[in-house]
Structures are given as structure tokens and as C-alpha cells.
């Protein structure tokens, strides 16, 4: 008899109904309106969607790195290895960020300090992780620079970030993030600012390190082409919600949400490199300052009918592991 595979086996992160608001002087922006997804150990999950759909806010909400004065996660749970991160103390959360979940950004200077050598910064990350001597930490820093394939690592250990190229700084940031052997790496558009050749090298490096170290990766990007090349599963976000989730194979074989289909029709030309933002999908994203009635994509959707403007569709499974939030998913998937 064939065993049924458990879709949540090896569950590392389980995000449930995550809701985050930003508070302005006169209005509230509902940046995340109830986001549900999971990440399994060792997998690479892509998060895609246009600018402003909530990709970065999702990452920052998980790590509790939102600006305290203006933002608040008002609902949901972030279960990481059985513990709800939203209920941990600041001290426990620092331990999670230092040891278990690391994040890398588009701009490496978000993580690297300009006033210390790269070697010292990576060594400090190692020392936060475990009780090792300074010499051992520096040795580990050197090993990390070798691992991320920085040429002449002994010399680079003593470089300040400004003495390195953009691609090299990106590698140094990755070395620092992985120095503590995290179980999850959140990568927020880590290659967007780089030129195409370096972009491809850094992507290959992330995939290679993930495979070697067994780190799960949440890979945030606006580029579906990158997801196709690197990820196993993908979630598509629109206006602060997930509109589709699937394995990469299923998403490309049977794109179901009309927004996903529109994104696929506008896959950027990789040869244009950093200019390759997604071409516009006609229409505008709804304001997140007003409560949404109906489907958030209805005004831009060629398939919208009456119900789409009246009731918000929930994410529903079309086949195992593939879900979409669309009233017409059964028809659209067969088009
Ligand atoms: N610091 C902030 N203050 C107020 N609103 C914010 C802030 N950061 C994000 N937002 C709002 O939250 C929503 C989601 O933003 P987010 O940065 O997550 O989008 P994104 O999908 O990551 O976009 P991009 O691809 O441009 O990075 C947007 O409406 C944005 O305007």
C-alpha cells in the first residue's frame, strides 16, 4: 500500500493568519490581511508579487523587526519549531535572530557596518552563536569567506566593506548570515541591485549553500523567472494576502489565480538586468487604507464577475498542495 505523504512533514515555520498594520497620522494601512503559509526544513520557498504587496512586511513581521512606533502585528501566529515567535520576550527573540533565523537584504550595508572589518563582523556573529575564542571565531570567519567563494579570503578578512565590490559585499553579508548555521534564511530581494552576471552567481551560491548546509530559504523576489530556477514551492502575494500557493512545477503548469497569470505574462527580460521590474499589469492596486470588500484583484481582473466584487474569496485547495483564492479558479485553471 502506498503511504500518503504528509504535506506538513518537516515543518519548520508555520505562519497563521498573520495581520500587520501601519499607523499613520490619519489612517491605518492594513499591510498584511491574514497571511497563511509554511516552510519545511531545507526547502526553498519563493514569495513573489508586485511592489507593495507585503513581501517585506511578512519577513519583518516574522522576525519582529518592524518599526515599533508605527507598526504592529495585530493578529496571528508565527510558529517556529513549535514556539510562537510573537509571544517570545525580546531577549528570546534576539537569540532566534542570532542563531536560528537569519536575514539578508538587497543592500548589504543594511547588515554590514562600515566601520569594522568584514572579518571582525563575521567573527562577532560566530561568537554570538556559541562560546568560542576570538581566534576560533576568526578562523570560522575565514572558513565562511571561503565558503561564499570570495577570492583571496585571508586578505578580504581585513577589508572594510567599502573596499569590496557590490557582489563581494553581498557574499560577505551571506557569510555573516550563515555563520551561525541558521535553520532558516530569509532573503529579501538579495540580487535585485546587482548586474545580471553577478546576480546569477549569487543565486547559484545561495542554492548551493542551502543544499550543503540544509538551510531552508524564504526567497522574496518580484521575479518569477528566478523562482522557477531556484525554488521548490512558491506563494504569490497581492495586496497583503496570499492569492496562490503551489509547487513551482504546478504553478507554472497550471497557474490559477488571474493575478498569477498576469504576472506570468509580464515575466521580465533578464537580459535587461536591474531595470527588469515587472511591466505594469493594467489597473491599480487597491488602497490598503480602506477595508477591502470582495476580491482585491477584482478591479484589474479580466475574469471578474458580480460575486468577486462582493465577497472576498479564501485560499482553497484545487489539488493537493495547490491553492488559490479565486471564485472562478475551477474555470480559470482550465483556460
Ligand atoms: N515603514 C512603513 N510605514 C508605512 N507603511 C509601510 C511601511 N513599510 C511598508 N509599508 C506598507 O506596507 C505595504 C507592504 O509593503 P512591503 O514593503 O511589504 O511590500 P513589498 O511587497 O516588499 O514591496 P517591494 O517589492 O517594493 O519591496 C505597502 O502598502 C507599504 O506602503
Amino acid at each position: 500500500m502506498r503511504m500518503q505523504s504528509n504535506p506538513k512533514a518537516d515543518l519548520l515555520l508555520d505562519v497563521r493568519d498573520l495581520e500587520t498594520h501601519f499607523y499613520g497620522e490619519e489612517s491605518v494601512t492594513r499591510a498584511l490581511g491574514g497571511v497563511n503559509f509554511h516552510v519545511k526544513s531545507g526547502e526553498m520557498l519563493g514569495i513573489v508579487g508586485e511592489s507593495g504587496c507585503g513581501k517585506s512586511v511578512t519577513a519583518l513581521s516574522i522576525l519582529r523587526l518592524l518599526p515599533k512606533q508605527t507598526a504592529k502585528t495585530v493578529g496571528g501566529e508565527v510558529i517556529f519549531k513549535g514556539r510562537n515567535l510573537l509571544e517570545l520576550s525580546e531577549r528570546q527573540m534576539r537569540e532566534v535572530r542570532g542563531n536560528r533565523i537569519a536575514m539578508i537584504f538587497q543592500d548589504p550595508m543594511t547588515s554590514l557596518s562600515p566601520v569594522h572589518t568584514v572579518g571582525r563582523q563575521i567573527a562577532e556573529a560566530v561568537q554570538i552563536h556559541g562560546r568560542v575564542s576570538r581566534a576560533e571565531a576568526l578562523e570560522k570567519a575565514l572558513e565562511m569567506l571561503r565558503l561564499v567563494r570570495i577570492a583571496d579570503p585571508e586578505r578580504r578578512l581585513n577589508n572594510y566593506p567599502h573596499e569590496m565590490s557590490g557582489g563581494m559585499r553581498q557574499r560577505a553579508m551571506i557569510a555573516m548570515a550563515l555563520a551561525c548555521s541558521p535553520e532558516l534564511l530569509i532573503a529579501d530581494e538579495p540580487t535585485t541591485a546587482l548586474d545580471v552576471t553577478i546576480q546569477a552567481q549569487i543565486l547559484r551560491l545561495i542554492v548551493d549553500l542551502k543544499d550543503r548546509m540544509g538551510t531552508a530559504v524564504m526567497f522574496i523576489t518580484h521575479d518569477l523567472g528566478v523562482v522557477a530556477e531556484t525554488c521548490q514551492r512558491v506563494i504569490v502575494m497581492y495586496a497583503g494576502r496570499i492569492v496562490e500557493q503551489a509547487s513551482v512545477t504546478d504553478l507554472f503548469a497550471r497557474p490559477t489565480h488571474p493575478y498569477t497569470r498576469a504576472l506570468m505574462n509580464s515575466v521580465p527580460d533578464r537580459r535587461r538586468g536591474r531595470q527588469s521590474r515587472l511591466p505594469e499589469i493594467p489597473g491599480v492596486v487597491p488602497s490598503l487604507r480602506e477595508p477591502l470588500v470582495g476580491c482585491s484583484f477584482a478591479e484589474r481582473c479580466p475574469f471578474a464577475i458580480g460575486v468577486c466584487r462582493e465577497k472576498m474569496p479564501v485560499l482553497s485547495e484545487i489539488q493537493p498542495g495547490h491553492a488559490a483564492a479565486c471564485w472562478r479558479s475551477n474555470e480559470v485553471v482550465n483556460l
Side-chain angles (χ1 to χ4, degrees):
M1 196 176 73
R2 206 162 152 254
M3 294 286 283
Q4 275 235 306
S5 67
N6 176 358
K8 287 201 173 180
D10 304 325
L11 189 63
L12 184 67
L13 178 76
D14 197 6
V15 175
R16 301 176 187 162
D17 291 324
L18 193 64
E19 268 187 75
T20 294
H21 293 174
F22 285 94
Y23 299 92
E25 301 233 314
E26 283 163 13
S27 63
V28 178
T29 302
R30 295 167 181 81
L32 298 185
V35 167
N36 289 282
F37 68 94
H38 65 274
V39 184
K40 289 186 254 181
S41 296
E43 79 168 337
M44 187 145 168
L45 173 77
I47 302 187
V48 289
E50 287 168 298
S51 188
C53 70
K55 305 181 297 292
S56 300
V57 172
T58 300
L60 297 175
S61 302
I62 291 169
L63 281 173
R64 290 177 37 190
L65 288 172
L66 292 160
K68 288 209 167 37
Q69 292 79 7
T70 52
K72 191 165 166 49
T73 292
V74 293
E77 293 177 315
V78 176
I79 311 291
F80 180 73
K81 299 188 83 179
R83 287 195 301 176
N84 183 1
L85 299 187
L86 301 184
E87 290 177 347
L88 299 189
S89 67
E90 265 309 318
R91 193 184 58 77
Q92 289 171 315
M93 206 50 218
R94 272 199 298 277
E95 199 271 331
V96 169
R97 290 193 289 257
N99 277 328
R100 298 179 184 278
I101 308 179
M103 187 159 174
I104 57 175
F105 303 87
Q106 183 173 331
D107 176 6
M109 296 315 286
T110 311
S111 316
L112 295 171
S113 155
V115 296
H116 297 302
T117 64
V118 161
R120 174 172 165 180
Q121 295 184 57
I122 301 175
E124 277 173 6
V126 174
Q127 284 186 301
I128 291 171
H129 179 55
R131 273 186 222 127
V132 291
S133 70
R134 205 172 139 62
E136 284 168 326
L138 274 171
E139 190 50 44
K140 173 82 179 176
L142 184 59
E143 191 190 305
M144 291 309 299
L145 288 186
R146 285 197 191 108
L147 199 65
V148 297
R149 292 181 224 125
I150 283 188
D152 200 359
E154 285 84 359
R155 181 162 74 89
R156 294 298 176 187
L157 210 53
N158 298 314
N159 273 179
Y160 289 88
H162 73 265
E163 295 173 306
M164 294 180 147
S165 68
M168 229 183 274
R169 278 202 288 266
Q170 209 71 7
R171 286 173 193 268
M173 174 176 63
I174 295 170
M176 192 161 88
L178 295 180
C180 63
S181 311
E183 286 145 288
L184 176 64
L185 176 70
I186 302 180
D188 192 353
E189 307 238 17
T191 61
T192 308
L194 303 168
D195 72 42
V196 191
T197 322
I198 310 289
Q199 230 181 61
Q201 289 171 6
I202 299 288
L203 277 178
R204 268 201 304 278
L205 176 70
I206 292 173
V207 172
D208 180 43
L209 292 175
K210 164 197 135 338
D211 289 343
R212 275 212 256 172
M213 301 175 79
T215 317
V217 182
M218 243 175 81
F219 194 88
I220 296 174
T221 175
H222 59 272
D223 188 339
L224 265 173
V226 167
V227 168
E229 282 166 34
T230 57
C231 297
Q232 284 84 56
R233 281 196 311 121
V234 57
I235 63 181
V236 181
M237 291 190 72
Y238 185 74
R241 287 166 202 269
I242 294 176
V243 295
E244 185 157 3
Q245 63 180 43
S247 69
V248 167
T249 316
D250 283 348
L251 192 90
F252 282 87
R254 287 154 65 92
T256 298
H257 197 285
Y259 177 63
T260 311
R261 297 171 77 100
L263 274 185
M264 281 188 185
N265 291 334
S266 58
V267 165
D269 181 348
R270 301 288 296 285
R271 287 162 302 187
R272 281 184 291 136
R274 72 177 75 181
Q275 273 83 43
S276 68
R277 305 300 292 192
L278 288 173
E280 296 272 309
I281 298 169
V284 289
V285 182
S287 163
L288 299 174
R289 296 200 185 93
E290 312 297 332
L292 281 173
V293 179
C295 171
S296 53
F297 192 58
E299 292 312 316
R300 300 169 87 184
C301 181
F303 306 102
I305 52 174
V307 65
C308 306
R309 296 190 178 83
E310 287 155 18
K311 278 169 75 178
M312 186 173 290
V314 293
L315 205 57
S316 315
E317 211 160 65
I318 307 153
Q319 61 180 58
H322 189 166
C326 172
W327 290 117
R328 301 194 68 192
S329 57
N330 288 335
E331 298 153 79
V332 178
V333 73
N334 292 314
L335 290 175

